[in-house]
Amino acid sequence: MAAEKGETWTDAAVLPRTSTYDLRASLNPAGRNTNQYEVGNLAWTLFYYWQHCVAYGDEDAMKNKLFPLLKEAINTFIYIRTEKDGKYGLPVTASPEYVSTSAGENTNYDLANLRFGLMTLIDIDTTYNMNDPLLETWKDFLDNLVDFQTDANGYKISSTIGIPSGGTSHRHYSHLFMLYPYHMVSWEDSEEQAALLNTSLSKWNGNQGYSRTGKAAMLASKGDGNGALSQMTTFFDTYIKPNTLYAETGPVIETPLAAVSTLHEFYMQDWGDRIRVFYGLPTSWKEASFINMRAKGAFLVSATRKSGKTVFIQIESEKGGPCRLQTGMPGNNIYVVDMDGNEIPFNLINSENGIIEVNTQPDDVFQIINKSEEPVLPYAIEHPLAETMPYGVNKGPDVPLTSLSFSNETETLTESDPSKFLTLEAEPSFAPVGTVVWANSNSEVVRLQNGLIQAIGPGEAEITVTNIDGISAKCKVTVVGNNFSSYSSISEDDTYAYDSSTGKITTYGDESTIYIKYDGSGYNRMGFFKFSIEDIDKYASEGYLSKIEASLYINSSMATAGNTSWQFFAVPDLTWTEKTLTWNNKPAASTNKLGEIQGKSNIDADSYAESNRVSFDITDYALEQYNSGIKKIAFNATQKNIVAGGAHSSYFASKEHSDARRVPYIKVTKGDKITNIHNPDDFSIQVY
């Protein structure tokens, strides 16, 4: 930009998204057309340095390190700002991740970064009497800066781009930075502001892992701990890995760190004019405690919640000064004492929310007690045994698995109902089962595939499942009849390929979901499925074959997946396996499109629904393979087109999924008798 204007800016700085280890990198204004001109990243980064300074009361760092660097960040905005009708605005800059073209002028992302910088520079200058020559420039810029951009759907991306009425589930919440992390606006401001925030959050249906952490923090700032917990529960159940990392294009650390920060918001918040204790806590968390969380003003805060009530708060003041707290205690029950038990005077600001203010000196320590409750010092909370999440802080004691059983100890397969999925039950129910091995005592009666049993002939068989510790369960299966109406067979290989820089050489055959996305180079995922068809003639006895269909379960999908369709193409090469397939060696698909199904949006991975299963007819393809002596079939799964906003990822369950009802399978259904099983022209094809 400086070069475009024929200028040299030695007093301005930016921080592009990627740089060398010394943080040196150029920011090219040409990136405006591809949403890469991220002018505000440095100001955003310095917000966290500012948080550090105010939490430690570090005046030297505030004045001599933060202040000059923040000046350079804001100088960039001063150089590029626009002016119209007496208002300052911003040219086209970036709004992280929302579009791949121009994000438009006055992005809310950079308006929030700019406002933070201006407000902070003015505050530091006036607090410490810096007398900077740019003070009046900052004040004028802030006073005449355009407002945040809004429309009927809440806060927009920029002056020209809003959130669509159907919502978007793109992961980034950069357009809501004025709410979090900056807290420039809140639900407490006015009814109109609260309504705007409610609309904004309801329209932004972000449902990637990073999105969940941001929305949870926003809801916690509203005091909606239950809503915040719902977001974080989905985050832990769906996105986080056992090693606490998170993966989209590869393992990353920023999303787990964002999650930790959000969990802190459950316990304590320090935005605005006060410290809020347990303000974002879910109502189901009746017992909670924390020790020495650091708050703005250099205060160390400890607190205990017992039986759903805050019963104890302790404050250590490192630097002195007024300490305002929202205790959550009834105002008329608040009692403040020093460490010797002497009562300390305080100002009661709001009785209903227990907001008080205490004047402190450096190194003061005082305690706030609810007079109607017995005070309890912070202690380690004993978690329920049923908590099995393996992330350390919330895992209960290890309880060994004592027994396994099938939901039914006996099963009967008939001619009209020849296949079933066996369901395992553990005791205790929350104990991990681990890897299991299946065994079948009579393969001439029952075919067994990872919990799927298929009738072959009359008789009895015993199915046994055993885990790594030798704990087992048995189910007696009786098959009645010999003329079965259908058979089902799960995939023998299923995986996906990913064209990111690392994904191109990575295999994903062990994962429980098959990730499908078409989003341009570097973001594409393509699924692959392979099935055996060697038993077609055996199960369609005497030539009663009418239909062969493939069936996949949509484990989850994002908000705009319904704006595209899923396509399935035959794959002639059958030499690949799920253990070896990568993007670089993936087999080519043919032009034989086996099916196309309209996508479905916002499918939740947490709950099972049969309506989330999709099927398509593969009769012609399967018979052609079989008649050619090829006893396997394979197809890929892709999305038809790119969807604006990028929020169209879909996840199909793989054969490794723990819920057997969701695994991929093919089903052969017998209809009217035909004269030649090997003549595809005799079949009436139905597409589902």
Side-chain angles (χ1 to χ4, degrees):
M1 180 69 79
E4 285 186 1
K5 292 187 174 184
E7 301 171 354
T8 300
W9 303 341
T10 59
D11 57 350
V14 292
L15 183 63
R17 186 184 305 190
T18 55
S19 69
T20 59
Y21 289 116
D22 61 4
L23 299 185
R24 291 186 177 275
S26 62
L27 186 64
N28 191 337
R32 289 173 297 193
N33 297 325
T34 55
N35 197 32
Q36 297 297 312
Y37 191 45
E38 296 179 349
V39 176
N41 292 355
L42 180 57
W44 177 20
T45 303
L46 292 177
F47 166 74
Y48 299 107
Y49 189 26
W50 171 82
Q51 281 192 316
H52 168 86
C53 292
V54 297
Y56 282 88
D58 191 338
E59 294 185 8
D60 179 67
M62 185 85 78
K63 294 186 294 184
N64 299 314
K65 296 180 179 179
L66 172 64
F67 187 75
L69 192 52
L70 187 57
K71 278 183 60 177
E72 293 186 354
I74 298 307
N75 278 347
T76 303
F77 285 106
I78 293 175
Y79 281 122
I80 69 171
R81 68 186 179 185
T82 61
E83 189 171 359
K84 182 180 180 181
D85 299 329
K87 285 286 188 178
Y88 296 115
L90 294 177
V92 173
T93 58
S95 184
E97 303 188 14
Y98 266 94
V99 293
S100 57
T101 56
S102 171
E105 299 178 353
N106 295 318
T107 63
N108 275 335
Y109 168 68
D110 272 339
L111 286 176
N113 294 326
L114 173 57
R115 282 186 182 275
F116 157 73
L118 291 170
M119 293 166 62
T120 302
L121 288 173
I122 293 169
D123 180 68
I124 295 173
D125 188 280
T126 54
T127 299
Y128 299 110
N129 297 314
M130 307 285 285
N131 297 318
D132 193 283
L134 287 175
L135 177 60
E136 295 306 316
T137 299
W138 300 330
K139 290 181 177 180
D140 173 63
F141 201 171
L142 181 62
D143 290 342
N144 296 288
L145 184 62
V146 295
D147 293 332
F148 291 118
Q149 306 298 290
T150 64
D151 62 13
N153 290 333
Y155 285 105
K156 301 169 64 177
I157 308 304
S158 66
S159 58
T160 55
I161 302 177
I163 299 295
S165 296
T168 176
S169 59
H170 203 287
R171 75 184 199 117
H172 218 294
Y173 50 89
S174 51
H175 69 296
L176 296 175
F177 267 25
M178 72 292 293
L179 172 58
Y180 181 81
Y182 289 135
H183 295 290
M184 296 170 179
V185 297
S186 79
W187 279 271
E188 300 171 356
D189 293 341
S190 65
E191 291 184 2
E192 292 77 13
Q193 182 64 63
L196 177 61
L197 291 174
N198 286 330
T199 299
S200 299
L201 261 67
S202 67
K203 293 298 182 181
W204 175 63
N205 295 315
N207 63 1
Q208 279 285 60
Y210 186 77
S211 319
R212 302 284 184 176
T213 66
K215 182 171 280 190
M218 296 175 198
L219 291 171
S221 74
K222 183 184 179 182
D224 181 7
N226 295 335
L229 178 61
S230 176
Q231 295 292 324
M232 292 304 292
T233 298
T234 301
F235 170 78
F236 278 107
D237 288 348
T238 307
Y239 297 98
I240 203 73
K241 304 300 180 182
N243 63 356
T244 74
L245 288 178
Y246 171 83
E248 281 188 25
T249 58
V252 295
I253 190 63
E254 74 269 22
T255 298
L257 291 177
V260 171
S261 181
T262 295
L263 289 175
H264 288 174
E265 303 286 333
F266 283 32
Y267 294 94
M268 188 196 76
Q269 302 170 30
D270 64 351
W271 54 273
D273 66 349
R274 60 189 180 274
I275 300 167
R276 294 163 169 84
V277 178
F278 293 133
Y279 184 63
L281 210 66
T283 56
S284 59
W285 290 15
K286 303 297 183 183
E287 321 293 320
S289 68
F290 63 87
I291 297 175
N292 286 348
M293 290 185 72
R294 185 172 288 276
K296 183 169 62 176
F299 296 109
L300 296 178
V301 185
S302 306
T304 307
R305 189 168 179 84
K306 190 75 173 176
S307 299
K309 297 179 180 179
T310 302
V311 297
F312 176 85
I313 300 173
Q314 177 175 294
I315 304 294
E316 179 180 348
S317 174
E318 292 185 334
K319 299 292 184 176
C323 179
R324 181 172 292 193
L325 299 109
Q326 183 166 325
T327 66
M329 301 177 181
N332 56 353
N333 286 345
I334 293 177
Y335 187 62
V336 182
V337 297
D338 62 19
M339 297 305 291
D340 295 322
N342 300 314
E343 187 171 358
I344 294 177
F346 64 89
N347 294 321
L348 180 61
I349 308 298
N350 182 293
S351 180
E352 180 180 359
N353 295 318
I355 302 176
I356 67 170
E357 185 171 287
V358 180
N359 291 316
T360 71
Q361 298 298 317
D363 300 322
D364 275 356
V365 180
F366 62 91
Q367 297 175 340
I368 306 169
I369 297 168
N370 186 339
K371 290 188 290 187
S372 64
E373 305 291 335
E374 180 181 356
V376 179
L377 296 177
Y379 65 101
I381 305 297
E382 182 177 349
H383 288 256
L385 294 179
E387 288 191 351
T388 58
M389 203 177 292
Y391 307 111
V393 295
N394 68 339
K395 184 182 179 184
D398 290 329
V399 177
L401 178 72
T402 59
S403 67
L404 281 175
S405 62
F406 288 104
S407 55
N408 295 314
E409 293 183 353
T410 62
E411 293 283 4
T412 300
L413 301 179
T414 65
E415 292 183 344
S416 61
D417 188 17
S419 62
K420 291 182 180 179
F421 286 105
L422 298 179
T423 309
L424 273 177
E425 295 180 352
E427 181 60 39
S429 61
F430 54 83
V433 174
T435 303
V436 297
V437 176
W438 294 85
N440 177 12
S441 69
N442 195 338
S443 59
E444 294 184 357
V445 173
V446 172
R447 178 181 180 180
L448 172 67
Q449 292 180 295
N450 289 4
L452 171 64
I453 52 174
Q454 171 66 47
I456 293 182
E460 293 183 348
E462 186 175 70
I463 305 300
T464 305
V465 64
T466 306
N467 81 343
I468 194 171
D469 296 319
I471 300 175
S472 62
K474 297 181 183 296
C475 178
K476 180 181 178 181
V477 180
T478 301
V479 177
V480 179
N482 197 34
N483 188 15
F484 306 111
S485 61
S486 66
Y487 90 93
S488 299
S489 178
I490 70 172
S491 54
E492 62 179 39
D493 283 287
D494 52 28
T495 185
Y496 69 92
Y498 181 20
D499 75 337
S500 72
S501 56
T502 57
K504 289 179 179 179
I505 57 173
T506 302
T507 61
Y508 299 96
D510 292 331
E511 298 201 6
S512 62
T513 55
I514 308 297
Y515 191 173
I516 309 298
K517 187 176 186 180
Y518 176 41
D519 202 19
S521 178
Y523 296 93
N524 300 309
R525 285 87 160 176
M526 182 184 299
F528 291 86
F529 300 85
K530 187 197 298 182
F531 298 85
S532 169
I533 56 171
E534 61 183 349
D535 295 326
I536 281 182
D537 54 353
K538 182 187 301 182
Y539 286 95
S541 57
E542 300 179 13
Y544 285 87
L545 179 63
S546 64
K547 182 174 64 176
I548 308 172
E549 63 180 358
S551 183
L552 307 177
Y553 186 87
I554 314 162
N555 201 58
S556 63
S557 65
M558 297 175 68
T560 57
N563 294 344
T564 184
S565 58
W566 300 303
Q567 296 182 324
F568 308 93
F569 290 87
V571 174
D573 182 357
L574 299 170
T575 61
W576 62 273
T577 71
E578 64 179 32
K579 302 297 185 184
T580 59
L581 186 145
T582 67
W583 185 270
N584 284 346
N585 68 15
K586 68 183 186 301
S590 69
T591 58
N592 180 10
K593 184 165 68 173
L594 304 177
E596 180 171 340
I597 298 173
Q598 185 63 38
K600 297 184 178 183
S601 299
N602 291 324
I603 291 178
D604 186 359
D606 295 338
S607 57
Y608 173 82
E610 187 60 29
S611 60
N612 293 339
R613 187 167 281 282
V614 296
S615 302
F616 51 96
D617 196 290
I618 59 170
T619 307
D620 278 355
Y621 170 50
L623 289 176
E624 181 182 350
Q625 292 284 97
Y626 188 86
N627 293 338
S628 301
I630 303 172
K631 303 303 174 65
K632 296 181 187 294
I633 61 169
F635 55 82
N636 69 11
T638 65
Q639 285 181 327
K640 183 176 183 179
N641 55 280
I642 296 176
V643 177
H648 50 280
S649 299
S650 305
Y651 303 80
F652 292 95
S654 74
K655 66 181 177 62
E656 284 80 13
H657 201 283
S658 58
D659 185 348
R661 299 171 297 178
R662 307 188 189 204
V663 300
Y665 64 80
I666 59 172
K667 185 175 183 178
V668 183
T669 303
K670 182 173 65 177
D672 296 334
K673 186 174 181 179
I674 58 176
T675 57
N676 183 357
I677 189 172
H678 299 310
N679 184 357
D681 296 333
D682 289 337
F683 296 97
S684 175
I685 306 301
Q686 298 179 7
V687 179
Y688 292 83

